[in-house]
């Protein structure tokens, strides 16, 4: 089956509730497998089969489905380059200035202004006799667009959208002689729409500015001259220059120069870092003080900055349960309130023979507040902002569904190596069996580990390569996740790994391990014979203990640690960071980690967070409610497998991500409560004749604005704990390892 996945801009997408309706319409089309329309980004992600018919014919169907909901809309396929350019232009001005220069918004303001003046004039006693005609002119002026939209919606058999509701309410108001109300409702509806549009633009813009972390061009050095070249055409090993004050366009290694770089847009850390020749620098960082020459190490696509961009931009399509619930709720809310309006107009008049005009007027209050706008906007605005705020702090959340899972979590499960510990093994000792010697032990181990990038492998190779070179390469190589490696050479097979691997390979003469030993031991065997072992020690991250305390403050009840390492080592590390002994599981293979995750999760019906580094724990990262991986520079597989990516290896970001999620959920719930609450109060007042249409429309627009402003608070979120975490001492800090926690 041939599947096509594409992303489009929906130009002219006007209302929040329309996006959900469009999704429903498009889903009905045959061959469409998946669709997500996001109001905040105005993007549509669609997946379809092109086996039975042409892509064109499917897209034609899609377009006509969309037009059914909103007539003056068109699709545009996203062109990444142009997309970037338009971002750039947008960013230079503030939103109000820009709005004032936007001819459409100016036109809107003029229309609203004139009809507001006309409305005021119509109140003046002197013009009393012209009241109807003045109001009618004001009404047509401000309502023309809404009326026109309603017309085309009716032709498309699409009722109950905001335009229809407003048209109905205002026309009925006119019919019963309430001209001022008719005009006012239309007027304030338009004002509300305008403000809402400006606020959504602002949210969008602030996210865009967070994402504006990659220059489009780099200064490429070719034969001693530099040419500004688009980053897409630069390859690894090319040499580029970065001037002070410029952003680093691509990941690379410094070949010349010294500088201080600001990593804040990648990691959220505000402290700049000193770099010199030989250091690696990441794209997206700002080169602050010196002139640098770099050798590029990654293409644009693989570079850190564009990885972050891709992840955040796709986040809008993974919706939270609350968002889904609210769109569903809005779908029933509007018709239900409309039905109530009809009953209010009809029953008292027909059954109790009350004056029709009075009850029709009361029913209009219902029609006005049946608009779902504030409601459908209230949640996505908060979550959209939260994703932006998190990414500003070096936490990339791949969708709002994970915000909710983070918020709801009561359990955090850590992988040990590289997550709670630094993953930088120091070799404590090398021991050899009488049949061999130390040199051979480290040599054979390094030969076998050549292809592995496990932290243990890295340190063994580093130790060996201090004095030697790897001269013989393996004929075949096998990595046993959570066990070790086995490599075949012309002189025999070498196994390097833990006792479990040795057992499965049937290696003889393995020495008994000292039960009290706190370090990680790796055995080395040639063919079936044990030749020696390497004892290594890893240290917990400096702030691990503090992070675990902070997690408790953030509402986490249980912290677990899983590891493929030995029990004694695991318990030693667990004790020093504050994980309870009964919450430590050792000797696990990757698939066993998944089983344990499942059984821990079963105990509570809340979501459980798994934090890993992608090394031997990808299965759990994928399957967990929220899989958090450490390090954007890490493996693509880990980034792909996880739901949240912490851009550096700072575990403090885990409680931080929970705080951000909790805050955004709080704002979202406040918004729901405010918008539903106010609507409900107005409904009650309306039934008893205490709320006029003026109050209804004020309440409706007012609530939308309050919800929008409330949601903006998430953009001002200040990290709770990142400034404190560097001075925390876990007792493992000596001069050497306290020096720099954040090498780049
Ligand atoms: P953790 O679960 O703590 O992240 P891993 O699952 O990565 O640890 O590894 C568990 C154990 O398996 C290690 O402590 C080590 O004994 C062994 N091991 C895994 N990979 C290797 C390797 N490449 N070389 C040697 N030993 C390895
Ligand atoms: Mg691991």
């Amino acid at each position: 089956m041939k599947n096509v996945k594409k992303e489009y801009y929906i130009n002219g997408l006007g209302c929040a509730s329309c996006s959900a309706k469009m999704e429903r319409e498009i889903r009905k089309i045959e061959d469409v497998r998946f669709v997500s329309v996001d109001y905040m980004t105005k993007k549509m992600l669609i997946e379809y089969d092109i086996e039975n018919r042409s892509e064109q014919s499917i897209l034609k169907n899609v377009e006509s489905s969309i037009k059914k909901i909103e007539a003056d809309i068109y699709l545009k396929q996203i062109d990444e380059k142009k997309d970037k350019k338009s971002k750039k232009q947008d960013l230079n001005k503030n939103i109000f200035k820009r709005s004032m220069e936007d001819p459409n918004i100016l036109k809107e303001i003029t229309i609203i202004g004139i009809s507001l003046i006309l409305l005021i004039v119509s109140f003046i006693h002197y013009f009393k006799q012209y009241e109807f005609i003045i109001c009618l002119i004001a009404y047509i002026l401000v309502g023309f667009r809404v009326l026109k939209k309603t017309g085309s919606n009716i032709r498309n058999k699409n009722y109950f959208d905001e335009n229809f509701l407003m048209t109905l309410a205002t026309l009925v108001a006119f019919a019963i002689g309430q001209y001022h109300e008719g005009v006012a409702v239309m007027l304030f509806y338009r004002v509300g729409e305008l403000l809402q549009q400006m606020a959504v633009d602002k949210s969008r813009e602030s996210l865009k500015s967070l994402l504006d972390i990659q220059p489009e061009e780099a200064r490429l050095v070719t034969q001693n001259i530099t040419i500004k070249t688009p980053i897409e055409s630069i390859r690894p090993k090319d040499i580029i220059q970065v001037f002070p004050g410029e952003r680093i366009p691509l990941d690379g290694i410094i070949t010349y120069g010294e500088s201080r770089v600001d990593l804040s847009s990648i990691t959220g850390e505000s402290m700049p870092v000193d770099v010199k020749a030989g250091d690696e620098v990441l794209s997206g960082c700002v080169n602050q003080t010196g002139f640098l020459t770099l050798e590029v190490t990654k293409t644009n696509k693989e570079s850190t900055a564009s990885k972050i961009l891709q992840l955040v931009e796709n986040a809008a399509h993974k919706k939270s349960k609350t968002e889904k619930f609210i769109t569903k709720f809005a779908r029933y809310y509007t018709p239900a309130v409309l039905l109530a309006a009809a009953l209010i107009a009809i029953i008292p008049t027909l059954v109790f023979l009350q004056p029709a005009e009075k009850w029709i007027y009361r029913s209009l209050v219902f029609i006005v507040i049946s608009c779902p706008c504030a409601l459908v906007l209230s949640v996505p605005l908060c979550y959209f902002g939260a994703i932006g705020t998190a990414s500003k702090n070096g936490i990339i959340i791949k969708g709002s569904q994970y915000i909710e899972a983070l918020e709801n979590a009561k359990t955090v499960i850590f992988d040990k190596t590289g997550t709670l510990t630094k993953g930088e093994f120091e070799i404590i000792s090398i021991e050899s069996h009488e049949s061999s010697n130390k040199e051979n032990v480290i040599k054979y181990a390094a030969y076998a580990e050549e292809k592995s990038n496990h932290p243990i492998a890295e340190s063994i190779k580093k130790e060996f390569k201090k004095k030697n070179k790897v001269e013989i390469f393996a004929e075949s190589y096998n990595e046993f996740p959570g066990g070790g490696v086995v490599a075949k050479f012309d002189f025999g097979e070498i196994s390097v790994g833990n006792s479990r691997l040795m057992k499965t390979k049937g290696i003889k003469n393995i020495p008994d391990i000292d039960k009290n030993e706190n370090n990680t031991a790796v055995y080395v065997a040639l063919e079936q014979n044990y030749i020696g072992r390497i004892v290594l020690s890893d240290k917990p991250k400096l702030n691990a203990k503090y992070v675990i305390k902070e997690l408790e403050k953030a509402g986490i009840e249980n912290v677990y640690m899983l590891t493929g390492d030995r029990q004694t080592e695991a318990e030693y590390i667990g004790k020093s960071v504050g994980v309870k002994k009964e919450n430590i599981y050792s000797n696990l293979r990757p698939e066993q980690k998944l089983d344990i995750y499942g059984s821990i999760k079963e105990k509570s019906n809340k979501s459980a967070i798994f934090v890993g580094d992608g090394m031997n724990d990808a299965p759990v990262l994928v399957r967990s409610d929220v899989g958090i991986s450490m390090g954007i520079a890490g493996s693509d597989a880990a980034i792909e497998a996880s739901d949240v990516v912490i851009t550096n290896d700072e575990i403090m970001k885990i409680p931080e991500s929970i705080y951000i999620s909790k805050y955004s959920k709080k704002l979202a719930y406040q918004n729901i409560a405010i918008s539903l609450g106010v609507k409900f109060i107005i409904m009650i007042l309306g039934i008893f004749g205490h709320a006029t249409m003026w109050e209804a429309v004020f309440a409706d627009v007012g609530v939308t604005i309050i919800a929008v402003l409330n949601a903006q608070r998430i953009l001002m979120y200040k990290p709770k704990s990142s400034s404190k975490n560097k001075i925390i001492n876990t007792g493992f800090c000596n001069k050497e390892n306290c020096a720099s926690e954040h090498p780049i």
Side-chain angles (χ1 to χ4, degrees):
M1 203 163 281
K2 214 164 167 236
N3 235 336
V4 181
K5 197 172 179 181
K6 277 198 177 145
E7 202 170 24
Y8 290 88
Y9 265 130
I10 307 192
N11 267 15
L13 179 60
C15 75
S17 61
C18 299
S19 52
K21 287 185 197 160
M22 285 175 191
E23 275 181 14
R24 278 202 296 279
E25 272 308 308
I26 297 169
R27 241 173 244 139
K28 288 184 202 155
I29 302 171
E30 218 176 305
D31 302 317
V32 171
R33 292 275 158 269
F34 171 85
V35 66
S36 158
V37 179
D38 183 60
Y39 173 67
M40 292 302 300
T41 50
K42 297 201 176 179
K43 281 181 181 174
M44 172 176 76
L45 183 68
I46 185 165
E47 218 180 310
Y48 42 78
D49 287 343
I50 47 167
E51 190 145 289
N52 306 325
R53 58 192 176 123
S54 74
E55 197 169 347
Q56 259 177 340
S57 106
I58 296 174
L59 285 177
K60 228 177 172 176
N61 282 172
V62 171
E63 200 147 22
S64 65
S65 302
I66 289 176
K67 287 207 155 82
K68 258 194 223 167
I69 312 293
E70 278 196 280
D72 39 5
I73 246 180
Y74 63 94
L75 288 180
K76 205 175 86 187
Q77 198 176 346
I78 293 179
D79 175 346
E80 271 178 33
K81 260 196 192 163
K82 273 198 190 143
D83 195 28
K84 262 198 169 171
K85 285 235 169 68
S86 66
K87 259 181 218 164
K88 284 271 152 67
Q89 285 164 1
D90 282 350
L91 287 170
N92 298 330
K93 288 180 197 125
N94 91 29
I95 179 92
F96 289 103
K97 255 196 198 152
R98 216 175 59 230
S99 305
M100 289 309 151
E101 282 169 22
D102 182 340
N104 285 328
I105 292 188
L106 267 187
K107 200 172 117 196
E108 193 95 336
I109 292 174
T110 316
I111 290 175
I112 289 171
I114 295 174
S115 73
L116 181 65
I117 293 169
L118 286 174
L119 181 66
I120 295 168
V121 167
S122 74
F123 276 109
I124 299 173
H125 192 70
Y126 182 76
F127 295 111
K128 190 82 189 144
Q129 57 200 11
Y130 305 112
E131 188 188 290
F132 173 71
I133 198 81
I134 296 174
C135 283
L136 189 67
I137 294 170
Y139 177 72
I140 292 176
L141 200 60
V142 77
F144 181 72
R145 207 186 62 198
V146 177
L147 295 172
K148 200 176 124 201
K149 269 198 173 168
T150 307
S152 63
N153 282 344
I154 291 177
R155 247 175 287 132
N156 284 322
K157 298 202 179 60
N158 163 36
Y159 310 108
F160 298 150
D161 83 325
E162 286 133 55
N163 298 298
F164 177 81
L165 297 172
M166 287 303 142
T167 306
L168 180 67
T170 51
L171 286 182
V172 176
F174 262 84
I176 59 171
Q178 304 283 353
Y179 313 134
H180 293 134
E181 274 87 342
V183 178
V185 167
M186 204 50 113
L187 193 66
F188 287 112
Y189 172 66
R190 286 287 290 268
V191 173
E193 254 199 337
L194 185 68
L195 290 177
Q196 181 188 314
Q197 190 194 333
M198 282 160 78
V200 172
D201 280 351
K202 185 167 159 33
S203 290
R204 239 178 240 149
E205 186 197 19
S206 51
L207 189 64
K208 271 184 191 167
S209 70
L210 292 177
L211 296 182
D212 186 36
I213 53 170
Q214 197 175 26
E216 286 162 48
E217 292 176 328
R219 300 171 193 276
L220 179 69
V221 182
T222 42
Q223 291 154 350
N224 291 331
I225 51 162
T226 53
I227 308 166
K228 279 197 164 183
T229 312
I231 51 172
E232 292 82 11
S233 41
I234 293 180
R235 300 278 143 247
K237 295 225 155 37
D238 282 350
I239 302 292
I240 58 168
Q241 291 179 339
V242 188
F243 288 3
E246 287 181 347
R247 264 184 208 280
I248 294 165
L250 295 155
D251 295 4
I253 288 177
I254 301 174
T255 54
Y256 171 84
E258 265 178 29
S259 182
R260 177 166 286 188
V261 294
D262 173 6
L263 296 167
S264 59
S265 48
I266 303 292
T267 63
E269 297 299 328
S270 48
M271 282 291 284
V273 180
D274 291 325
V275 291
K276 56 182 186 322
D279 288 341
E280 193 190 353
V281 283
L282 303 179
S283 51
C285 300
V286 179
N287 175 24
Q288 286 186 329
T289 50
F291 168 81
L292 294 176
T293 306
L294 314 178
E295 183 184 302
V296 174
T297 49
K298 299 218 176 98
T299 60
N300 170 41
K301 259 211 159 128
E302 293 161 350
S303 263
T304 307
S306 47
K307 270 193 209 165
I308 293 182
L309 291 179
Q310 280 160 23
L311 293 175
V312 179
E313 290 196 338
N314 288 330
H317 295 298
K318 284 184 183 157
K319 303 236 160 67
S320 64
K321 275 190 199 138
T322 317
E323 272 166 287
K324 284 184 191 153
F325 170 76
I326 283 293
T327 25
K328 221 177 196 165
F329 180 82
R331 200 176 153 194
Y332 298 107
Y333 167 82
T334 304
V337 178
L338 277 183
L339 182 69
L343 295 178
I344 289 168
I346 295 166
I347 294 179
T349 318
L350 292 187
V351 181
F352 302 107
L353 302 174
Q354 296 257 343
E357 213 164 277
K358 177 173 147 195
W359 288 96
I360 290 178
Y361 183 84
R362 288 185 185 184
S363 80
L364 288 184
V365 170
F366 270 63
I367 301 180
V368 172
I369 55 172
S370 69
C371 234
C373 224
L375 210 53
V376 282
L377 253 180
S378 59
V379 188
L381 260 180
C382 296
Y383 286 165
F384 186 76
I387 290 175
T389 298
S391 80
K392 193 167 80 181
N393 286 294
I395 303 163
I396 298 167
I397 303 178
K398 289 195 193 165
S400 51
Q401 81 188 70
Y402 307 116
I403 295 184
E404 263 176 7
L406 280 169
E407 188 274 338
N408 170 271
K410 285 275 174 276
T411 309
V412 176
I413 302 165
F414 283 99
D415 180 54
K416 184 186 70 109
T417 310
T419 307
L420 274 180
T421 68
K422 291 182 175 178
E424 293 158 12
F425 286 86
E426 192 187 324
I427 295 184
I428 302 283
S429 66
I430 302 168
E431 297 158 17
S432 63
H433 186 250
E434 56 205 31
S435 64
S436 186
N437 58 44
K438 285 184 187 179
E439 284 72 38
N440 272 344
V441 173
I442 185 84
K443 182 171 93 180
Y444 285 153
Y447 278 18
E449 296 277 20
E450 180 59 23
K451 284 208 180 79
S452 169
N453 50 10
H454 193 279
I456 292 181
E458 299 290 1
S459 71
I460 291 177
K461 284 185 281 186
K462 201 168 135 201
E463 175 69 25
F464 178 71
K465 285 178 186 173
K466 272 184 195 163
K467 292 188 200 137
N468 308 281
K469 260 191 178 155
V470 176
E471 279 157 353
I472 308 166
F473 295 94
E475 289 161 6
S476 75
Y477 166 85
N478 253 321
E479 186 145 0
F480 295 86
V485 298
V486 176
K488 258 204 182 104
F489 295 85
D490 52 7
F491 56 82
E493 186 182 77
I494 301 175
S495 309
V496 187
N498 53 16
S499 56
R500 195 161 19 121
L501 179 81
M502 296 298 131
K503 250 179 231 156
T504 45
K505 295 297 292 179
I507 310 291
K508 285 172 269 179
N509 300 331
I510 295 287
D512 280 339
I513 0 162
D514 179 359
K515 281 267 184 291
N516 298 318
E517 198 174 59
N518 291 332
N519 296 317
T520 304
V522 164
Y523 303 92
V524 186
L526 178 59
E527 291 293 327
Q528 298 294 296
N529 302 310
Y530 168 76
I531 59 165
R533 62 175 199 152
I534 302 171
V535 182
L536 309 106
S537 127
D538 190 9
K539 292 195 174 67
K541 285 185 182 160
L542 290 182
N543 53 3
K545 197 170 186 175
Y546 174 65
V547 167
I548 288 174
K549 285 228 173 78
E550 194 70 27
L551 281 172
E552 277 166 21
K553 273 194 221 153
I556 297 299
E557 288 165 2
N558 283 302
V559 175
Y560 292 83
M561 187 178 91
L562 311 187
T563 178
D565 208 347
R566 287 184 312 133
Q567 193 186 348
T568 42
E569 161 75 356
E571 281 175 5
Y572 171 70
I573 297 281
K575 195 173 156 199
S576 56
V577 299
V579 179
K580 284 189 209 132
K581 202 172 168 187
E582 64 268 28
N583 287 358
I584 297 172
Y585 294 83
S586 48
N587 275 314
L588 302 171
R589 274 175 283 125
E591 63 281 12
Q592 287 172 320
K593 288 183 183 171
L594 186 59
D595 292 340
I596 303 274
Y597 174 89
S599 67
I600 292 173
K601 190 180 148 45
E602 239 171 49
K603 286 186 211 154
S604 76
N605 56 357
K606 301 281 183 162
S607 52
I609 300 170
F610 179 81
V611 194
D613 59 349
M615 189 67 74
N616 296 343
D617 51 23
V620 206
L621 280 175
V622 175
R623 295 288 194 80
S624 51
D625 300 322
V626 193
I628 303 183
S629 70
M630 312 294 297
I632 188 90
S635 79
D636 282 349
I639 293 171
E640 179 75 17
S642 53
D643 311 310
V644 176
V645 181
I646 309 283
T647 51
N648 53 6
D649 63 354
E650 180 50 71
I651 38 176
M652 196 59 223
K653 299 282 157 92
I654 295 155
E656 203 60 65
S657 67
I658 298 177
Y659 285 134
I660 292 176
S661 304
K662 284 207 188 301
Y663 188 46
S664 59
K665 177 124 182 185
K666 188 171 107 188
L667 295 182
Y669 273 52
Q670 282 172 355
N671 275 356
I672 295 176
I674 296 169
S675 35
L676 273 184
V678 170
K679 276 173 192 268
F680 189 68
I681 292 169
I682 298 288
M683 272 189 228
I684 302 286
L685 292 177
I687 292 184
F688 294 107
H690 295 306
T692 63
M693 273 176 92
W694 287 86
E695 275 135 1
V697 72
F698 264 127
D700 203 54
V701 173
V703 157
T704 311
I705 292 167
I706 290 172
V708 163
L709 290 178
N710 193 34
Q712 304 288 315
R713 288 166 62 200
I714 189 73
L715 300 175
M716 289 174 262
Y717 176 85
K718 290 265 169 324
K720 284 208 173 157
S721 33
S722 70
S723 55
K724 287 181 258 165
N725 68 45
K726 291 203 188 84
I727 45 168
I728 299 302
N729 189 332
T730 53
F732 282 88
C733 180
N734 56 34
K735 248 190 193 150
E736 201 184 312
N737 66 18
C738 277
S740 159
E741 255 292 83
H742 300 280
I744 60 165

